[in-house]
Amino acid sequence: MALHTLNRAPADQSCVTRCLNALADNDALLLIEDGVYAALPGHQALFAALPDSVSLYVLQPDLQARGISEKVRDVFTPIDDAGFVQLACDQDKVVSWF
Amino acid sequence: MALHTLNRAPADQSCVTRCLNALADNDALLLIEDGVYAALPGHQALFAALPDSVSLYVLQPDLQARGISEKVRDVFTPIDDAGFVQLACDQDKVVSWF
Amino acid sequence: MSAKKKVLIINRRAPYGRSNARDSLDVALTCGVFELPVSLLFADDGVYQLLGEHDAQGIGQKNLSATMAALPMYDIDQLYVCEQSLKTQGLETSDLANAPTAVDQDAIQQLIKEHDVVLTF
Amino acid sequence: MSAKKKVLIINRRAPYGRSNARDSLDVALTCGVFELPVSLLFADDGVYQLLGEHDAQGIGQKNLSATMAALPMYDIDQLYVCEQSLKTQGLETSDLANAPTAVDQDAIQQLIKEHDVVLTF
Amino acid sequence: MGFFLWQNSWLQMIFTLIVQAAPYSHQSADTAYRFAKSLLDQGHSLHRVFFYADGVHTGSALASPPQDEPNIPERWQQLAQDHQLDLVVCIAAAVRRGVLDANESGRYSKPGHNLADGFELSGLGQLVEAIAVSDRTLTFGA
Amino acid sequence: MGFFLWQNSWLQMIFTLIVQAAPYSHQSADTAYRFAKSLLDQGHSLHRVFFYADGVHTGSALASPPQDEPNIPERWQQLAQDHQLDLVVCIAAAVRRGVLDANESGRYSKPGHNLADGFELSGLGQLVEAIAVSDRTLTFGA
């Protein structure tokens, strides 16, 4: 099981697609930095093909900075920095997509 | 009339599309740096909708560095640094896409 | 400064992840101070710069939305947003601060034509 | 160094435009020197790193293709290329140096699973 | 007590972080710092931070951000002091980009040096060693 | 002769270049130099080069690339010397990134300074002035 972090906004389709295609069963995805915009309702379709076993997270300070805390879909669990560390521990490895 | 330079490779679809959509009649496009890969035959479709009056150039030192001088489509005119300067003079302005 | 060149600044990047949005805003404000006419176009991820109510303290940066709100005080009121980008991002102009004018591809080509200098960030 | 962690390096960027390709290669060679098993995956624009016969003197850089050719001397022979990326770029494996193994999405997920550490460039 | 030790050793992870991004240009330079601070706060251990590519500018002694913005190099220095961290700046990436310690400044006959205290120039071997001995390696990319 | 003068004044353009990219990380730092050299070789004039964002590292006096790679800051210095160029490094972008001249080093009580000879720290007004008086402004982006 791997934690994947994604820090690129949706217009970087190549990076976002690469990341999403790399997600295997029971992996976790954490959107960070500009990556958090993918949690907005307008990008729902990107995530349609993911296995149900993939868990979705988003870094709260990055949502807040960008003024979209109230706008993101609730399939994404907001976490803080401590939660990011915890996820990195819970999974076997961390893959950074940027 | 504007000279547009593009330095991003085709996987940066957002940048490439933005650049191509911005090309107006009689504009010129110069592919530089990683942008030169778009001159390979595999990316021909990207350029299908351009007006015939748009002229297409590619920076020769960048082709050579990447080992693709012999592989690019011949609708692209290879130019050197002096040719780049000349194009910038011939057009009213230069728009850099990156 | 005598020559009144018209400057178009194109913003394609999301705020905060990279410094581009901030760098661009600083150039726009300086154009305003020196009374060089400047228009701003937001496209691709740049449209996210127009979502209001930022709170960037938690990531150690300054709020850009506050600075954006100050643009009219510098006589910067020509703001445009790419309607195709809005659609791609699932946004409406009503979601945006600064009330930009939505423009299509032809209008963007026209903007580039009408300005003397185009800067991209 | 006792622990023999298996390292996967994923290369997504074209050579020369940014320093990523070179930075990645330097890490791979160092893994080789220190006998840490390393595999390389080339995807997206990273597949262009595998086009041979570079001549980067005109842009003031060192040829990466020469260094790539030296990988086997460092016992780095696990090279993979994303077949979807090749298709998108209009390339065939026969266009590529270093004879990488073409892999699909499932095989890429498997590669990530099988390695202990994944680095991206 | 035995249970406590077992639980503790199971919970405590050894991390290595790779920072590829330049401070003040990419947010990930800041994200990396916050991650480091948080993992240390939780009692994990940070074996090494390896600054690579434009990340080498994190080691600048001369960075002078405005008073109301974080001084990223100084925050790393403080964290290193509080937790005896090993902050390694890739020597090959650094010298070409103008980040030098006294030794390298002498070697290249340069008029000064600018590597901040608490950072150390060293080679990629330090990265590979860190990967080999750490439970988790994370990259913060540009 | 009149024709020659007319033709010459028509042909000679005034350029301003904006460099946003860091040397050794992005090729556009090198492309910008080659463009500058080529326009000067052709008899055009270069009103100003404005180094912005990570481009400010071009002004480093400490950059020490290997012997067989170009020294990008030195090449700009040489070009500036040969053609009396105005190389302006954005002061706000530079000081936060650790590129300081003697003045700024004093202001921030830093142990040294690293702005290379031939470069000058100044504000964005220099960019706007340059845009206003130049025939062509080109950005070399990261």
Side-chain angles (χ1 to χ4, degrees):
Chain A
M1 299 183 316
L3 169 65
H4 300 253
T5 66
L6 172 65
N7 81 352
R8 293 301 185 103
D12 191 342
Q13 208 186 329
S14 154
C15 187
V16 175
T17 305
R18 175 63 49 196
C19 168
L20 293 175
N21 286 342
L23 289 167
D25 280 330
N26 302 310
D27 280 359
L29 170 65
L30 171 62
L31 305 178
I32 65 172
E33 303 166 15
D34 289 343
V36 301
Y37 289 112
L40 289 172
H43 299 295
Q44 183 160 2
L46 285 171
F47 301 88
L50 286 186
D52 286 340
S53 63
V54 169
S55 41
L56 302 174
Y57 301 90
V58 62
L59 202 57
Q60 174 62 31
D62 288 329
L63 289 181
Q64 196 167 335
R66 291 158 178 84
I68 58 171
S69 300
E70 307 301 318
K71 294 177 176 141
V72 296
R73 293 194 299 134
D74 57 11
V75 295
F76 289 90
T77 305
I79 60 172
D80 59 8
D81 295 335
F84 185 0
V85 172
Q86 189 60 51
L87 275 179
C89 293
D90 292 344
Q91 306 282 331
D92 294 333
K93 70 199 72 155
V94 183
V95 187
S96 304
W97 301 101
F98 55 88
Chain B
M1 299 186 314
L3 169 64
H4 299 252
T5 65
L6 172 65
N7 81 352
R8 293 301 184 101
D12 191 342
Q13 207 186 331
S14 151
C15 188
V16 175
T17 305
R18 175 66 47 196
C19 169
L20 294 174
N21 286 342
L23 289 166
D25 279 331
N26 301 310
D27 281 359
L29 170 66
L30 171 62
L31 304 177
I32 65 173
E33 305 166 14
D34 289 343
V36 301
Y37 289 112
L40 290 172
H43 299 293
Q44 184 159 1
L46 285 172
F47 301 87
L50 286 185
D52 286 341
S53 62
V54 170
S55 40
L56 302 173
Y57 300 89
V58 62
L59 203 57
Q60 174 62 31
D62 288 329
L63 289 181
Q64 196 167 334
R66 291 160 178 83
I68 59 170
S69 300
E70 307 301 319
K71 294 178 176 143
V72 296
R73 293 194 298 133
D74 58 11
V75 294
F76 288 89
T77 306
I79 61 172
D80 59 7
D81 295 336
F84 185 2
V85 172
Q86 189 60 50
L87 275 179
C89 294
D90 291 345
Q91 305 282 331
D92 295 333
K93 69 200 70 155
V94 183
V95 186
S96 304
W97 301 101
F98 56 87
Chain C
M1 221 160 298
S2 58
K4 288 287 188 188
K5 290 217 163 67
K6 287 177 67 185
V7 178
L8 175 65
I9 299 183
I10 303 182
N11 300 287
R12 291 189 55 252
R13 300 261 157 64
Y16 304 111
R18 304 172 39 141
S19 67
N20 301 55
R22 181 200 174 128
D23 297 339
S24 168
L25 209 43
D26 287 345
V27 171
L29 294 175
T30 311
C31 286
V33 169
F34 287 88
E35 298 182 356
L36 206 61
V38 61
S39 309
L40 307 183
L41 168 64
F42 298 86
D44 302 323
D45 289 329
V47 302
Y48 291 127
Q49 296 180 35
L50 295 162
L51 293 175
E53 306 299 322
H54 302 176
D55 176 8
Q57 205 176 356
I59 60 166
Q61 293 193 43
K62 282 191 190 154
N63 277 1
L64 294 176
S65 52
T67 316
M68 296 277 289
L71 288 173
M73 296 198 293
Y74 292 81
D75 290 324
I76 300 172
D77 51 11
Q78 302 294 308
L79 269 64
Y80 303 91
V81 62
C82 169
E83 65 178 24
Q84 179 62 46
S85 302
L86 282 182
K87 206 176 148 190
T88 305
Q89 315 280 9
L91 298 171
E92 313 273 343
T93 41
S94 57
D95 296 323
L96 307 178
N98 291 78
T101 305
V103 287
D104 63 9
Q105 299 300 351
D106 286 347
I108 291 173
Q109 292 185 8
Q110 199 55 38
L111 279 176
I112 293 173
K113 267 205 185 83
E114 284 166 4
H115 288 78
D116 302 296
V117 177
V118 181
L119 305 179
T120 39
F121 286 95
Chain D
M1 219 158 302
S2 58
K4 287 286 187 191
K5 290 217 163 65
K6 286 177 67 185
V7 178
L8 174 65
I9 300 183
I10 304 182
N11 300 288
R12 293 188 54 251
R13 300 262 158 62
Y16 304 111
R18 303 172 41 142
S19 67
N20 302 55
R22 180 199 173 130
D23 296 339
S24 168
L25 209 43
D26 287 345
V27 171
L29 294 175
T30 310
C31 286
V33 169
F34 286 88
E35 298 183 355
L36 206 60
V38 62
S39 309
L40 306 183
L41 168 64
F42 297 85
D44 302 321
D45 289 330
V47 303
Y48 291 127
Q49 296 181 35
L50 295 162
L51 293 175
E53 306 298 325
H54 301 176
D55 175 9
Q57 204 177 359
I59 61 166
Q61 294 193 44
K62 282 192 189 153
N63 277 359
L64 294 176
S65 52
T67 315
M68 296 276 290
L71 288 174
M73 294 198 295
Y74 293 80
D75 291 323
I76 300 171
D77 51 10
Q78 302 295 308
L79 270 61
Y80 302 91
V81 63
C82 169
E83 68 178 21
Q84 179 61 46
S85 301
L86 282 182
K87 204 174 150 194
T88 306
Q89 315 280 10
L91 297 171
E92 314 271 344
T93 41
S94 57
D95 294 325
L96 307 179
N98 292 76
T101 305
V103 286
D104 63 11
Q105 298 301 351
D106 287 345
I108 290 173
Q109 292 185 7
Q110 200 54 41
L111 279 176
I112 293 174
K113 266 205 188 85
E114 284 166 4
H115 288 77
D116 301 297
V117 177
V118 181
L119 306 178
T120 39
F121 285 95
Chain E
M1 188 65 179
F3 174 74
F4 173 79
L5 279 174
W6 173 84
Q7 190 188 49
N8 195 49
S9 70
W10 180 75
L11 281 174
Q12 185 174 328
M13 292 261 174
I14 304 172
F15 283 85
T16 281
L17 308 186
I18 307 171
V19 180
Q20 293 188 16
Y24 308 111
S25 297
H26 286 89
Q27 197 200 331
S28 62
D30 185 73
T31 308
Y33 166 79
R34 280 169 29 221
F35 188 89
K37 186 164 188 319
S38 188
L39 78 87
L40 292 164
D41 286 348
Q42 288 174 61
H44 298 295
S45 109
L46 183 49
H47 180 72
R48 186 165 292 144
V49 185
F50 193 84
F51 298 93
Y52 197 36
D54 276 345
V56 300
H57 292 298
T58 313
S60 169
L62 303 180
S64 312
Q67 289 292 343
D68 56 351
E69 289 178 45
N71 187 316
I72 294 177
E74 269 183 27
R75 295 207 304 188
W76 279 110
Q77 282 179 304
Q78 188 60 53
L79 204 63
Q81 216 166 19
D82 296 347
H83 298 271
Q84 287 79 50
L85 297 185
D86 194 18
L87 305 180
V88 174
V89 176
C90 175
I91 188 164
V95 297
R96 71 178 65 221
R97 287 174 176 84
V99 177
L100 305 181
D101 62 10
N103 262 345
E104 295 306 305
S105 180
R107 183 196 316 274
Y108 293 101
S109 309
K110 291 292 176 179
H113 49 92
N114 59 345
L115 186 71
D117 290 343
F119 293 85
E120 174 198 355
L121 294 184
S122 193
L124 280 168
Q126 296 286 310
L127 171 60
V128 174
E129 187 271 346
I131 289 170
V133 303
S134 297
D135 298 309
R136 298 288 182 272
T137 299
L138 271 78
T139 301
F140 293 86
Chain F
M1 188 63 180
F3 173 76
F4 173 77
L5 280 173
W6 171 83
Q7 189 189 51
N8 195 48
S9 70
W10 181 76
L11 281 177
Q12 184 175 329
M13 291 261 175
I14 305 171
F15 282 86
T16 282
L17 308 186
I18 306 171
V19 180
Q20 294 189 15
Y24 307 111
S25 298
H26 286 89
Q27 196 201 333
S28 62
D30 185 74
T31 308
Y33 167 80
R34 280 167 30 220
F35 188 89
K37 186 164 187 324
S38 188
L39 78 87
L40 291 164
D41 286 348
Q42 288 175 62
H44 298 296
S45 112
L46 183 50
H47 179 70
R48 183 165 295 142
V49 185
F50 192 84
F51 297 93
Y52 197 35
D54 276 345
V56 300
H57 293 297
T58 314
S60 170
L62 303 180
S64 311
Q67 289 292 344
D68 56 351
E69 290 178 45
N71 187 315
I72 294 178
E74 268 183 27
R75 296 206 303 188
W76 280 109
Q77 282 180 306
Q78 188 60 52
L79 203 64
Q81 215 165 23
D82 295 348
H83 298 271
Q84 288 79 52
L85 296 186
D86 194 16
L87 305 182
V88 174
V89 176
C90 176
I91 187 165
V95 297
R96 70 178 66 219
R97 288 174 175 84
V99 178
L100 305 180
D101 61 9
N103 262 344
E104 296 305 305
S105 180
R107 183 195 314 273
Y108 294 99
S109 308
K110 291 292 177 179
H113 49 92
N114 59 344
L115 185 73
D117 290 344
F119 293 86
E120 173 197 356
L121 294 184
S122 192
L124 280 168
Q126 296 286 310
L127 171 60
V128 174
E129 187 272 345
I131 289 171
V133 304
S134 297
D135 298 310
R136 298 288 183 273
T137 299
L138 271 79
T139 300
F140 293 86

